[in-house]
Amino acid sequence: MAIALRTLDDGAWISVDDSRRVSVSDVWTLSRGVFCECEPAYVLLEGFFGTGVDGSVVVADAVGQCLECGTRDSIDRLPVGRIVDGEFKPYSPEAVQSTLESDAGRQA
Amino acid sequence: MPSDVEQWKDELYGTDIRAEIERFAEEGWDAIPDDEHDAWFERFKWYGLYHQRAGQESYFMMRIGPPGGVLEPGQFREIVEIADDFSRGPAENPVFGNGWIDVTTRQAIQLHWIRLEDVPEIFDRLESVGLSTVQACGDSWRNIVGCPVAGKDKHEHVDADALATELHDTFKRNEAHSNLPRKWKVSVTGCDEGCGQGDINDLAFEPAEKEIDGETVTGYNIRVGGGLSRNEPRFARDIDVFATPEQAVDVAGGISALFRDNGDRENRYNARIKFLMDEWGPEKFRETLQEEFVDFELHTAGEDLRESYSYNAGEADGKHDHVGVHEQPDGNYYVGLNVLVGRIGVDEAYDLADAADEYGSGEVRLTQRQNIVFTDVPEENVDDLRSEDVLEHYSPDPHPFQRGSIACTGTEFCSLSIVETKNRQVRYARWLVDNVELPDGVENFHVHLSGCTASCAQPQIADVSLRGMKTRKDGEPVEALDIGLGGGLGEDPQFAAWIAERVPADEVPGAIANLLENFEEARDSEAQSFREFVAEREDEELADLIEPEETDYDDPFMHNTKRTWYPYAEEDDLDESPAPAQADGTPIPSDD
Ligand code: HEM
Ligand code: SF4
Ligand SMILES: [Zn+2]
């Protein structure tokens, strides 16, 4: 079954099936090179501007800032959760993440 | 491809939403189909209803927009009664209790914890006194702001209240202007103080004079494309147009239509008119307006009064706001009362409504500094009014740190927020009053706190701008603030420069204390304003003057307040949320 994915309220949320599941203003832990050269990088997400699926993984495009080095940039295709049996299971922002390379399954 | 929001608006928007709200209210929260939540909540905004953040499902923020912030006799009291009856949450706020009204930076009132089931009755009661929530949020003409003492002030040149009301009457519920690409914020200034704050609005009317056929006509110069949000602040640009009072509504309609037809509907982040102005520039903008959107010859700009603008201008002395007792042209007085961070508890709000009735005309006006003004107080009543108990707290003569404080909604209710704001700002102000001496000669010092870059508290035009951030302290993520300095409006407006980033929130009062001490030491003279002092210096030098440090100020909101269902609840975990709830407050079990 297709899921409805979109950003909501001017980038405050990733909405999955009309439910606000991923919020801005969390600090995500990213591995080196994904966002900046910090290892790991603690990146505050300030706004989402796109979302899509990659296989079963839900990804988001966001603007964020590294809390250590201060880099402010956009980050594409950050995995924010997975679809398991039609249900969205969010990833924990604290777990170290890298972004997906593949371009498949893009919805925007 | 048009965005989801554009598709939803195409299907149903504007006044058609009302019947649907009534239907959902009748049938209850559950009647909104699960897979249509996003679409309906987007549409509800047009009627001033904003679904509160995650953890608070089924509760709404409701915004009521009186043009120019003017609440006629009886209107303020009705809002207080509505707040008393319907604006109660499942948990208390430790500073404000349960049940209050928020005065906003765009001269509106916000109520929280509103349940859909109660909305039709609230709408009826608002309408019974001539108020409405129409277009208070959503993609259209928002509340029209303007001089809050229009018609009552000696500095007035042209009647801003008349135009604000005319614009309100023309463009609210106006099908041709209901569905714009994005929010549309309009300001009308009539005085030489600049208290309409046109520079930070999408469309600004500013007082001006022009020779037309040998006669001096008083009217408005037009500026377009201001706004503070998203790290992309802009001041409105002069498009070299003068409008007579008779032309003003047509010019406004032309510009609104230009935006409607040319704003970016594909990308909401690029949709505000400030971005169209970036792309076109004022000349092309004027040309297009003239050729396609008005059917008379536009005048070129007249002589403006910007030189004397003092509102939020960062001057060391002067009145710059409407707090205090001021004589009106008719010999009565208006009395501006300070409302710390804009929030008034219901019980005190009743007292204020009583005082406005007893000593003035009962009219209560709202200012863009989140304060209130009583008008038409006869001279013989002024002392009696001042001795009312409620004016101790809502003072016409507040301490500058209280007078200067503005805070937005923040994580308490707002989806975008990164940090707690209103309670924190109250604590900041109290700590500063108790611990920091203002340098001699400094009668005004503005500290504005916004929870995120949307900038609802207008941080970029304050002496000290605070903006929600996070940092890591002792290995843990904690709430933090970016600190900007030296912003202000006036003749030559200037946005604050962001000088210190990610300062842990519990070190900010110490930073402000040190900054003021360093300012006092290094300034040229007592006459030099803080804004001038900042303008003279490089960012690096200023950064050295900030010196964040822990003090005896205690901050209970350092943890992630956004990951709570309500930051002040005893059990604040998202899983403990009582939302969504039925109209009577019983939680509705959710499926997952
Ligand atoms: C979709 C997310 C939001 C965005 C992008 C946003 C942005 C803004 C901006 C840019 C301003 C005005 C600043 C200026 O003068 O230029 C503003 C005003 C304001 N916003 Fe928001 N805001 C959002 C959501 C909210 C929410 C959810 C609340 C409260 C529940 C809120 C409360 C306010 C208040 C109190 C004001 C000032 C008053 C007014 O419009 O009458 N905002 N907002
Ligand atoms: S500035 Fe940000 S946090 Fe504050 S009310 Fe506006 S959107 Fe919310
Ligand atoms: Zn980094």
Side-chain angles (χ1 to χ4, degrees), chain B residues 50 63 110 407-411 413-419 421 449-459:
Chain B
Y50 206 116
R63 197 180 280 162
Q110 281 187 188
C408 75
T409 302
T411 47
F413 300 112
C414 175
S415 295
L416 280 163
S417 191
I418 300 168
V419 299
T421 51
L449 169 57
S450 252
C452 80
T453 58
S455 304
C456 306
Q458 305 173 349

Side-chain angles (χ1 to χ4, degrees), chain B residues 104-236:
Chain B
T104 80
T105 51
R106 295 197 76 259
Q107 294 171 294
I109 297 270
Q110 281 187 188
L111 305 178
H112 292 95
W113 296 122
I114 299 295
R115 281 165 298 216
L116 197 53
E117 291 82 351
D118 296 326
V119 167
E121 183 180 343
I122 299 176
F123 282 175
D124 286 346
R125 284 170 57 173
L126 288 171
E127 278 158 19
S128 75
V129 294
L131 287 169
S132 120
T133 63
V134 164
Q135 291 163 248
C137 311
D139 292 343
S140 65
W141 282 68
R142 297 294 187 87
N143 192 35
I144 293 152
V145 298
C147 300
V149 294
K152 310 286 176 187
D153 194 63
K154 293 177 164 172
H155 294 264
E156 188 162 77
H157 290 255
V158 48
D159 190 351
D161 188 32
L163 179 55
T165 304
E166 219 184 325
L167 291 171
H168 177 93
D169 293 345
T170 310
F171 295 107
K172 295 275 179 171
R173 296 191 180 87
N174 178 330
E175 200 146 338
H177 301 266
S178 278
N179 175 359
L180 300 180
R182 203 67 173 75
K183 59 176 77 165
W184 183 243
K185 294 182 171 176
V186 178
S187 158
V188 183
T189 303
C191 72
D192 57 22
E193 307 273 0
C195 58
Q197 302 202 127
D199 284 341
I200 56 170
N201 281 266
D202 294 300
L203 169 60
F205 288 87
E206 300 205 284
E209 279 180 2
K210 173 101 185 159
E211 280 276 310
I212 298 172
D213 303 328
E215 263 184 71
T216 303
V217 180
T218 309
Y220 301 93
N221 279 351
I222 314 287
R223 289 183 182 232
V224 177
L228 300 176
S229 63
R230 300 219 152 253
N231 269 325
E232 300 267 7
R234 299 280 188 287
F235 291 116

Side-chain angles (χ1 to χ4, degrees), chain A residues 6 10 15 18 20 25, chain B residues 4 38 52 182 230 470:
Chain A
R6 60 179 71 94
D10 298 292
S15 162
D18 282 66
R20 300 170 295 183
S25 82
Chain B
D4 284 345
D38 291 357
Q52 289 181 190
R182 203 67 173 75
R230 300 219 152 253
K470 288 223 166 98

Side-chain angles (χ1 to χ4, degrees), chain A residues 36-38 41 66 68-69 71:
Chain A
C36 58
E37 289 311 303
C38 298
C66 172
E68 304 296 329
C69 69
T71 300

Side-chain angles (χ1 to χ4, degrees), chain B residues 354-371:
Chain B
D354 290 345
D357 281 341
E358 188 171 346
Y359 304 108
S361 59
E363 188 180 76
V364 177
R365 298 190 177 193
L366 315 172
T367 84
Q368 295 189 57
R369 296 199 53 79
Q370 299 181 328
N371 294 324

